[in-house]
Amino acid sequence: MLREVFGESEAAGRLRVPVAAWRWATGTGLVPPADAGPGRWSRAVVEAADSEAVRAALRGPAGAGWAADRLTEALGEPLRCRPRVTASAVGHLVRAGLLVYLGGEVAFPDVHPDQVNTLARRRDLPVLLDRHVPLGPDQAAVRLGVRRVDFDQVVRLGWVTPVGSVDIDYKHHGGITTVPLYSAEDVALLPVTRPAVDWRAVRAVSAGHRSPLAALTPVVPGQDRVLLAEVARMTRVGRAAVVNWRRRHADFPAPAGGTDVHPQFDRATVVAWLLAHDKIGVPVAMAAASLVVTGEGRRTFRFRLDDPHLVLADDAGGEDELSGWSTDTDADELAALTAGTFGASVSRLTVPGTAPLAVLGEVRVIERFRSGSGGLRLTLAWPARVRGTAGPGPTGGVVRHGVPYAGPGEGCVCARHDCGGVVPVSRCAEHGDAVGPVLE
């Protein structure tokens, strides 16, 4: 009796191709989708398939370990607040439909190398990983940029809850252990949804020190509420803007408590609404500062500082400071460049939220700090009087240097500049051009 319906093994056998080749052909559309039930094809579909094309389309499955390393490589270095992609993460990507299962263990599947490379080239790869790959506690701590003990406090406080679990056999360490899994999106959103916490301080706690979160009280289930003022802090707008959203949008969450004057809203419901209306987004990476440092022989060196914190002095007698997370290699090179008598110059300093700056010299490293989570935080400083405005283009260069010490009076018509000083103009009776800007 002739078979009229084929499963994937029978279909592959009928065409005399590997089962992985049939899976790849169906997953990529080379063969029509199952038409005789889930995972089952009719005789007409199977016999119409081109066996040579099906066999040629498969360039050899790649293991989950290789796929994980390729995706990790695509994320770039250094991996700041981003755990390495694991072989089990590849299994989650298969279940999400982003990769085609070709064989092997379901949790650690074989996949097609070409499809992995295509996924690795996608700009939204970090977003896809956050959306589809849950994290264990250690990975979640890395994603948040804190120590494991700090993330344990986050769990104690009830700010995140498990979305699943996995059994891991540690063999020599007590056998099978059930490990909770957390949504990477929920973890990454914590600095946004908990704006009252000084996350920079939490990330900078030294090893062996008590977590700053240990003194906080856990939320009561069903009672995690926010006022409009905290919603405004989440979205970095004024309270009046949130009041306006509430008035204009019929689907804005209804109050869960409080009073008419000071209504309270369920935090999770508000966060879901803000995400749905693009008022907030999941942070995919730390903000970064870019430095173009000029060394001997006018050679330029590029550096990156993650999670930068720039403090500009109010007058020329003070000092500016810039701190951020660095790699050991970059920290050593920056220290060497700034070790001279006059320090180093910065042709272009780009920090989110600030116009590009330049520093004419005397830049030096004043602190190297190793946090308990292993990150290295570097602090640079320079006199405010040498801060200027960077020129256009990626290489920078000082095009104008403001004069912070020439503070404008009531009758001053000098122009304010991005570097914090004033740019004298000849028609100003107070300054004129007697105190001219320094040009490079």
Side-chain angles (χ1 to χ4, degrees), residues 105-128:
E105 294 185 54
V106 174
F108 313 104
D110 293 336
V111 290
H112 198 288
D114 290 348
Q115 194 176 32
V116 174
N117 286 325
T118 299
L119 181 61
R121 288 191 292 269
R122 289 183 58 164
R123 286 190 171 186
D124 61 346
L125 174 62
V127 176
L128 295 174

Side-chain angles (χ1 to χ4, degrees), residues 82-97:
R82 178 69 64 177
R84 292 183 62 84
V85 181
T86 62
S88 61
V90 177
H92 287 286
L93 295 174
V94 167
R95 288 189 283 279

Side-chain angles (χ1 to χ4, degrees), residues 93-168:
L93 295 174
V94 167
R95 288 189 283 279
L98 295 170
L99 295 172
V100 175
Y101 172 77
L102 298 181
E105 294 185 54
V106 174
F108 313 104
D110 293 336
V111 290
H112 198 288
D114 290 348
Q115 194 176 32
V116 174
N117 286 325
T118 299
L119 181 61
R121 288 191 292 269
R122 289 183 58 164
R123 286 190 171 186
D124 61 346
L125 174 62
V127 176
L128 295 174
L129 291 172
D130 281 343
R131 184 173 301 155
H132 299 295
V133 180
L135 305 175
D138 290 330
Q139 296 170 310
V142 173
R143 184 68 184 89
L144 192 55
V146 301
R147 302 172 300 172
R148 168 62 190 273
V149 66
D150 298 310
F151 181 73
D152 289 342
Q153 290 294 337
V154 167
V155 175
R156 177 189 69 83
L157 291 168
W159 294 352
V160 293
T161 54
V163 295
S165 63
V166 62
D167 292 333
I168 299 179

Side-chain angles (χ1 to χ4, degrees), residues 33 36 86 89 147 220 277 356 420 440:
T86 62
R147 302 172 300 172
V220 177
H277 288 75
E440 185 177 76

Side-chain angles (χ1 to χ4, degrees), residues 115-370:
Q115 194 176 32
V116 174
N117 286 325
T118 299
L119 181 61
R121 288 191 292 269
R122 289 183 58 164
R123 286 190 171 186
D124 61 346
L125 174 62
V127 176
L128 295 174
L129 291 172
D130 281 343
R131 184 173 301 155
H132 299 295
V133 180
L135 305 175
D138 290 330
Q139 296 170 310
V142 173
R143 184 68 184 89
L144 192 55
V146 301
R147 302 172 300 172
R148 168 62 190 273
V149 66
D150 298 310
F151 181 73
D152 289 342
Q153 290 294 337
V154 167
V155 175
R156 177 189 69 83
L157 291 168
W159 294 352
V160 293
T161 54
V163 295
S165 63
V166 62
D167 292 333
I168 299 179
D169 189 354
Y170 287 105
K171 300 186 185 303
H172 302 298
H173 300 280
I176 296 177
T177 300
T178 300
V179 177
L181 298 176
Y182 300 90
S183 163
E185 285 189 337
D186 290 347
V187 173
L189 269 171
L190 282 169
V192 177
T193 60
R194 303 285 170 175
V197 175
D198 186 350
W199 290 102
R200 181 175 285 112
V202 176
R203 287 169 173 160
V205 178
S206 302
H209 285 69
R210 186 170 183 257
S211 172
L213 304 177
L216 302 182
T217 303
V219 297
V220 177
Q223 298 295 315
D224 190 9
R225 298 173 181 174
V226 293
L227 297 169
L228 291 176
E230 188 167 7
V231 178
R233 292 184 63 186
M234 291 182 192
T235 54
R236 298 185 179 183
V237 298
R239 184 180 182 277
V242 181
V243 172
N244 191 39
W245 296 342
R246 186 186 176 198
R247 183 175 63 252
R248 290 174 50 209
H249 296 277
D251 62 339
F252 193 90
T259 65
D260 291 339
V261 178
H262 299 291
Q264 297 177 343
F265 303 85
D266 177 72
R267 186 187 301 268
T269 305
V270 167
V271 169
W273 188 90
L274 294 174
L275 286 169
H277 288 75
D278 294 324
K279 305 299 184 184
I280 60 173
V282 179
V284 296
M286 279 186 170
S290 172
L291 294 85
V292 180
V293 179
T294 304
E296 293 183 9
R298 304 298 296 169
R299 291 180 59 201
T300 58
F301 302 83
R302 295 181 180 276
F303 300 95
R304 164 181 149 188
L305 291 178
D306 291 311
D307 189 27
H309 184 53
L310 176 64
V311 179
L312 299 179
D314 293 330
D315 58 74
E319 282 205 326
D320 301 336
E321 288 191 5
L322 170 68
S323 62
W325 300 105
S326 173
T327 64
D328 287 86
T329 300
D330 279 1
D332 290 341
E333 192 168 355
L334 262 173
L337 285 170
T338 61
T341 304
F342 299 100
S345 298
V346 174
S347 300
R348 188 177 186 84
L349 168 59
T350 306
V351 180
T354 302
L357 301 174
V359 182
L360 295 173
E362 302 185 53
V363 178
R364 63 199 186 283
V365 176
I366 63 171
E367 184 181 30
R368 292 174 63 147
F369 169 78
R370 183 77 65 180

